[in-house]
C-alpha cells in the first residue's frame, strides 16, 4: 500500500512529506497582496499600458497560492494541494512575459533596422511569448499530474522538460536584452522622473535583466527539486521552498516596484525621430519641427 492510500498517515505527510509550518504562508499571502496593490497604484498613477497589468496579476495569483497553502497547513486535501501547486509553480513564469513584451516594444518603437531576423520586433515578441506559454502549459500539466499516484513520474518529467526549455529561452532572451541595452539606436520613453534618455533606458533594462536573472535562479532550484523527485531532500526541505521560491520572487517584485517599467510605457505615447541616436519616445505630442513616425497604440 502506498502512502497516498494509507489512511493512518497524516494527509500533510502524504503530499508534502513534512508538516508545513504555520504563519509563514499567512505572511507570504499578506506580502504578495500588498505588492500587487502597490503595482496597481503605480499603474494607475503612470497610466501604464494594459500589458503591464501582468505584474499585479501575478502578485495576486501568488497571494492566492498562499491562501491554498494556509488551508493545507490545517487540512490538506487533494484539491487544495493541486490548487496550491499550480498557483505557486506557474504564475511567476508570467513575469517573463512582461520582460519579453518590454524589450519587444523597445525594439518596435525605436524603428531600428536589425541585421538579423532574430532581432526583428515581431520575431522577438512571438518567439519568446510562445516559448513561455509553452513552458507554462507544460509545468501546469505536469504539476497537476504530480499529485496522482500513477502519474507522478510522468508529471515530474513533464515539469522538468518545461523548466529546462524555459532556462534555454531565458538565456537567449538575456543575450537579446543586453544587445538592446548596448545599442544606442534602441531607446525608450522618457518619463517625468527620468533625467535623460540614458537613465530611462537604464531603468527599464535593469528591471528586465535583473528579474530575468532571478527567474533563472528560481528555475534552477525548481529543476533540482523535481530532478530529486517526490520525497527527495530538496522537495522535503520547506526552508528551501521559502528561500528559493517565495523570497526570490518577492525580490523580483521589489525590483519591478523600484524600477517600475510602467512609467516608461504609458498609454498614448508617440514615437518621434531623435537627432542623434535614431528614435526617441516623447510624452508630449510631436511638434511641427519633429517627424512623426507612428502612433503607439496601447495594448
Amino acid at each position: 500500500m502506498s502512502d497516498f492510500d494509507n489512511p493512518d498517515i497524516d494527509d500533510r505527510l502524504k503530499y508534502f512529506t513534512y508538516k508545513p509550518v504555520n504563519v509563514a504562508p499567512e505572511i507570504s499571502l499578506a506580502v504578495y497582496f500588498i505588492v500587487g496593490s502597490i503595482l496597481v497604484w503605480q499603474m494607475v498613477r503612470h497610466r501604464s499600458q494594459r500589458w503591464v497589468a501582468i505584474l499585479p496579476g501575478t502578485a495576486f495569483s501568488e497571494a492566492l497560492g498562499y491562501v491554498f497553502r494556509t488551508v493545507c497547513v490545517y487540512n490538506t486535501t487533494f484539491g487544495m494541494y493541486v490548487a496550491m501547486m499550480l498557483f505557486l509553480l506557474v504564475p511567476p513564469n508570467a513575469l517573463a512575459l512582461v520582460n519579453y513584451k518590454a524589450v519587444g516594444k523597445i525594439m518596435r518603437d525605436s524603428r531600428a533596422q536589425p541585421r538579423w531576423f532574430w532581432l526583428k520586433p515581431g520575431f522577438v515578441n512571438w518567439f519568446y511569448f510562445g516559448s513561455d506559454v509553452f513552458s507554462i502549459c507544460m509545468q501546469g500539466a505536469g504539476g497537476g499530474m504530480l499529485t496522482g499516484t500513477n502519474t507522478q513520474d510522468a508529471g515530474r518529467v513533464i515539469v522538468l522538460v518545461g523548466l529546462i526549455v524555459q532556462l534555454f529561452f531565458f538565456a537567449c532572451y538575456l543575450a537579446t536584452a543586453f544587445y538592446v541595452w548596448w545599442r544606442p539606436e534602441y531607446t525608450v520613453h522618457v518619463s517625468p522622473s527620468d533625467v535623460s534618455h540614458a537613465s530611462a533606458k537604464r531603468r527599464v533594462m535593469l528591471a528586465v535583466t535583473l528579474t530575468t536573472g532571478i527567474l533563472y535562479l528560481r528555475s534552477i532550484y525548481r529543476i533540482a527539486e523535481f530532478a530529486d523527485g517526490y520525497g527527495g531532500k530538496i522537495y522535503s526541505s520547506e526552508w528551501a521552498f521559502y528561500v528559493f521560491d517565495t523570497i526570490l520572487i518577492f525580490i523580483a517584485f521589489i525590483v519591478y516596484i523600484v524600477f517600475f517599467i510602467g512609467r516608461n510605457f504609458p498609454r498614448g505615447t508617440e514615437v518621434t525621430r531623435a537627432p542623434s541616436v535614431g528614435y526617441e519616445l516623447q510624452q508630449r505630442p510631436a511638434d511641427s519641427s519633429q517627424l512623426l513616425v507612428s502612433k503607439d497604440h496601447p495594448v
Side-chain angles (χ1 to χ4, degrees):
M1 178 183 295
S2 68
D3 289 346
F4 281 93
D5 299 321
N6 190 342
D8 296 327
I9 296 179
D10 190 307
D11 286 337
R12 292 172 293 181
L13 297 178
K14 291 180 183 179
Y15 293 101
F16 291 97
T17 71
Y18 58 83
K19 294 182 179 180
V21 299
N22 195 3
V23 180
E26 290 95 327
I27 293 175
S28 301
L29 187 168
V31 166
Y32 278 108
F33 182 82
I34 292 171
V35 165
S37 300
I38 292 173
L39 288 167
V40 168
W41 174 76
Q42 288 183 310
M43 279 194 66
V44 173
R45 179 188 177 192
H46 297 288
R47 299 182 67 250
S48 304
Q49 295 175 10
R50 288 194 293 269
W51 57 270
V52 182
I54 295 174
L55 291 177
T58 302
F60 290 133
S61 296
E62 283 279 291
L64 185 57
Y66 287 104
V67 169
F68 293 123
R69 190 174 180 93
T70 300
V71 174
C72 287
V73 169
Y74 302 100
N75 182 29
T76 304
T77 64
F78 175 79
M80 285 295 172
Y81 182 79
V82 170
M84 181 205 72
M85 283 286 294
L86 292 178
F87 277 94
L88 294 182
L89 175 65
V90 177
N93 299 320
L95 298 178
L97 296 178
V98 175
N99 294 347
Y100 298 158
K101 184 68 174 179
V103 170
K105 285 190 69 65
I106 290 173
M107 298 173 76
R108 187 188 73 180
D109 294 340
S110 297
R111 300 288 181 175
Q113 299 299 320
R115 298 180 183 178
W116 304 283
F117 76 92
W118 58 81
L119 291 174
K120 292 184 177 180
F123 179 84
V124 170
N125 271 332
W126 290 107
F127 178 73
Y128 290 117
F129 179 85
S131 68
D132 205 50
V133 170
F134 174 73
S135 176
I136 288 173
C137 290
M138 291 195 70
Q139 292 177 50
M145 295 171 65
L146 283 172
T147 56
T149 305
N150 300 320
T151 59
Q152 283 184 4
D153 291 338
R156 185 174 72 252
V157 171
I158 291 174
V159 171
L160 274 173
V161 171
L163 288 167
I164 292 171
V165 166
Q166 190 176 53
L167 275 185
F168 171 75
F169 287 111
F170 277 171
C172 294
Y173 167 76
L174 280 173
T176 302
F178 279 117
Y179 178 83
V180 170
W181 194 348
W182 174 61
R183 298 295 298 181
E185 62 264 30
Y186 295 110
T187 58
V188 301
H189 168 81
V190 180
S191 71
S193 61
D194 294 314
V195 298
S196 66
H197 294 295
S199 67
K201 184 177 182 180
R202 184 167 57 250
R203 177 206 299 274
V204 175
M205 299 313 297
L206 272 174
V208 298
T209 54
L210 286 175
T211 53
T212 301
I214 291 171
L215 292 174
Y216 200 94
L217 292 176
R218 185 249 186 187
S219 293
I220 291 175
Y221 157 69
R222 284 297 191 176
I223 287 175
E225 178 190 29
F226 287 110
D228 195 32
Y230 171 81
K233 187 173 182 179
I234 299 176
Y235 182 88
S236 301
S237 301
E238 189 174 18
W239 68 265
F241 163 74
Y242 280 108
V243 170
F244 296 109
D245 196 293
T246 306
I247 294 178
L248 273 185
I249 298 302
F250 172 68
I251 293 173
F253 275 115
I254 293 300
V255 173
Y256 282 122
I257 290 173
V258 173
F259 301 103
F260 183 61
I261 63 175
R263 77 186 68 194
N264 298 103
F265 296 98
R267 288 171 284 173
T269 52
E270 299 189 352
V271 184
T272 58
R273 181 178 290 278
S276 58
V277 294
Y279 297 85
E280 299 273 354
L281 289 175
Q282 305 291 342
Q283 189 172 23
R284 57 184 181 277
D287 57 35
S288 58
S289 65
Q290 294 173 313
L291 175 63
L292 179 64
V293 177
S294 67
K295 179 72 175 179
D296 178 25
H297 297 287
V299 294

